[in-house]
Amino acid sequence: MQTPDKITQKTGSQTSLLEFLMALGKALISAGISVVDITSILERIACAYKVKAEVLIFPTVLLVKLGETESAPLSASNQKPGLIPLNQVSEIYKLIYQAENAEISPEDGKKRLKQILTEKHRFGSIGTIIGYTLFSIGIGMLMRFSPEQILVSGAFGVIVAFLILFGENQTKVSLLLPVIAALIVSSLFFLGMKEGFLTGTFIMLIPALAYFLPGAILTTGMFELASGEIISGASRVISGAAILLLLLFGLIVGLEIAGLPLQQLMFISPSNTSIWWIPYIGVLVFGVGMYLFMSIERRDMPWIILILYIAFMGEQVGNHFVGGFFGGFLGSLLMAVSGTLTERYDHGTPGFISILPAFWILVPGSLGFISLASLVGQNYPAAINNALLVTMTIVAISLGLLVGRVLTEPLKVEK
């Protein structure tokens, strides 16, 4: 029979563990990790401390029950706008690996997590601006833009980088950033076209606005739906669609400000470069941009570059031999498998960090922007056709993630 002291000690230990799991779960939700993975992580940690956990997670709410101790509902929305720096996410996963082996007490784990979340961006404001500029240039190279169009993409990227920094610690402003960025960039672009300084189509706006394109959100939402997380998955899909509509609104208002007649817009692909190796260099430029912009740890960078090329090559091979949908599926599948393998081999670089940048390589969000922008030119049949194309592309990428997860499940080992 347990003494009152032992019962009190056990209850206190469970309370500390519960507080640690709640704080950790909130941080992981803020990082944008799927509820499927967060649930698995929290349950493994509880098991390591010899406690059975029941976890209920929604995109902004977290509930955890350990034995007879149950948490109150916790609002788990990100307190700061935007994605948290990836150096913080990397350190959080180090803490997770320790907790999964019960190598750190819940009290120390909570203190360590608090320290991690106060760490600053590794490269500061200058690194953010340079990184996002390279990010935009890299995507322009991936889309085979001409050299002049790539430079324009980089210039617009500088403008958007300043806007991102402006809204960094202002939650209300950050909610409007997609509209503000699309409005300013599109106004400048369409005015440039009207005055004859710029040539091209609205597709040239994609690299500068790519950060706001919800490709990762939509794909994660579809992945959660396929995994049975209906509420979370549906919430992400709706959120992603809303962001696309905000971008579209900003683009339309920018067009109206410029006063450019619709008939002057050519809703076709811009004149692309014929240099075949430009996209391959673009992957590297994009990766370096992500390194600076997203504050990635130096030790994580080689794996990220590797998986960027794996996802890109997989998509290219699939597109060439079968078609676009299979290209998205194959790129996503190889991305998921290689991310898990590198996490197992390196024992430190999380799969989430290594595959996150590759979502922008697969670019499902930009396709959605293109389909919605077709509405600007009142090309309704094209808009409907493109919307279907976007949906199937996101399904293909989500299916690749799901199949990759199934294939790599037996390879997961304790850290």
Side-chain angles (χ1 to χ4, degrees):
M1 182 176 179
Q2 290 183 326
T3 64
D5 288 342
K6 288 185 177 180
I7 294 174
T8 302
Q9 184 178 9
K10 181 178 179 181
T11 303
S13 177
Q14 283 193 359
T15 301
S16 298
L17 179 58
L18 182 62
E19 291 174 351
F20 173 51
L21 292 179
M22 292 293 287
L24 181 60
K26 182 176 180 178
L28 292 173
I29 291 174
S30 298
I33 299 170
S34 74
V35 300
V36 179
D37 292 330
I38 298 173
T39 301
S40 178
I41 288 169
L42 298 185
E43 288 177 347
R44 288 200 304 268
I45 292 175
C47 182
Y49 290 96
K50 312 299 182 183
V51 180
K52 183 179 179 181
E54 296 180 33
V55 181
L56 180 62
I57 304 177
F58 300 117
T60 57
V61 177
L62 174 64
L63 286 167
V64 178
K65 182 178 180 182
L66 299 179
E68 298 300 321
T69 307
E70 184 174 355
S71 71
L74 175 65
S75 175
S77 59
N78 196 357
Q79 298 300 314
K80 285 188 176 183
L83 295 173
I84 67 176
L86 291 186
N87 64 307
Q88 291 186 12
V89 180
S90 184
E91 292 298 320
I92 289 173
Y93 268 90
K94 286 183 185 178
L95 177 60
I96 290 171
Y97 299 153
Q98 287 183 294
E100 286 180 346
N101 291 316
E103 296 173 354
I104 187 171
S105 67
E107 294 84 359
D108 291 339
K110 189 176 179 181
K111 291 178 183 177
R112 176 60 186 144
L113 180 61
K114 188 175 180 180
Q115 292 174 352
I116 291 171
L117 296 177
T118 58
E119 292 179 2
K120 296 182 179 180
H121 193 289
R122 295 182 63 226
F123 306 106
S125 299
I126 300 299
T128 299
I129 294 170
I130 296 174
Y132 195 80
T133 302
L134 293 175
F135 171 96
S136 301
I137 290 173
I139 293 181
M141 296 172 74
L142 284 168
M143 300 181 74
R144 293 181 178 271
F145 285 178
S146 67
E148 295 80 8
Q149 292 168 340
I150 290 173
L151 289 176
V152 172
S153 297
F156 286 146
V158 173
I159 296 173
V160 174
F162 276 103
L163 291 174
I164 292 172
L165 286 174
F166 176 73
E168 184 176 8
N169 295 312
Q170 303 182 55
T171 305
K172 292 182 179 179
V173 174
S174 71
L175 296 174
L176 299 175
L177 270 183
V179 177
I180 296 172
L183 171 62
I184 293 176
V185 172
S186 63
S187 297
L188 293 174
F189 175 71
F190 292 132
L191 282 171
M193 286 184 63
K194 183 178 180 180
E195 299 300 326
F197 299 125
L198 298 175
T199 58
T201 72
F202 72 93
I203 296 176
M204 287 174 58
L205 300 175
I206 289 174
L209 299 174
Y211 174 69
F212 303 107
L213 296 173
I217 295 176
L218 292 171
T219 305
T220 301
M222 292 298 295
F223 171 74
E224 289 175 341
L225 287 172
S227 301
E229 297 288 346
I230 306 300
I231 296 177
S232 179
S235 299
R236 290 191 200 272
V237 171
I238 293 171
S239 174
I243 292 172
L244 288 176
L245 290 173
L246 289 174
L247 288 168
L248 174 64
F249 179 80
L251 185 147
I252 293 174
V253 174
L255 180 64
E256 292 177 345
I257 291 174
L260 187 69
L262 288 175
Q263 56 267 28
Q264 287 188 229
L265 287 178
M266 298 180 298
F267 288 88
I268 57 175
S269 298
S271 54
N272 294 341
T273 179
S274 59
I275 304 176
W276 66 269
W277 48 263
I278 286 292
Y280 296 90
I281 302 298
V283 174
L284 181 60
V285 173
F286 170 83
V288 174
M290 287 293 291
Y291 172 69
L292 297 172
F293 175 63
M294 296 299 293
S295 184
I296 296 173
E297 292 280 359
R298 187 183 297 111
R299 66 182 182 84
D300 295 333
M301 195 57 189
W303 299 116
I304 289 175
I305 294 294
L306 174 63
I307 292 174
L308 282 175
Y309 275 103
I310 288 174
F312 177 71
M313 292 299 296
E315 185 181 40
Q316 295 298 304
V317 170
N319 288 346
H320 179 75
F321 288 102
V322 180
F325 296 146
F326 185 76
F329 168 80
L330 184 60
S332 177
L333 171 62
L334 294 178
M335 175 183 75
V337 172
S338 57
T340 301
L341 290 176
T342 54
E343 181 177 4
R344 180 189 179 190
Y345 173 78
D346 184 61
H347 291 276
T349 300
F352 172 79
I353 290 178
S354 60
I355 71 174
L356 179 62
F359 277 109
W360 277 281
I361 294 292
L362 301 176
V363 202
S366 65
L367 293 175
F369 189 53
I370 291 171
S371 71
L372 288 174
S374 302
L375 294 171
V376 179
Q378 300 179 359
N379 191 347
Y380 302 118
I384 295 173
N385 182 65
N386 288 337
L388 180 60
L389 175 67
V390 174
T391 302
M392 295 307 299
T393 301
I394 293 172
V395 169
I397 294 172
S398 305
L399 183 60
L401 284 176
L402 193 60
V403 173
R405 186 185 185 90
V406 171
L407 292 177
T408 58
E409 191 67 32
L411 301 176
K412 293 182 179 180
V413 296
E414 286 190 4
K415 298 289 185 291

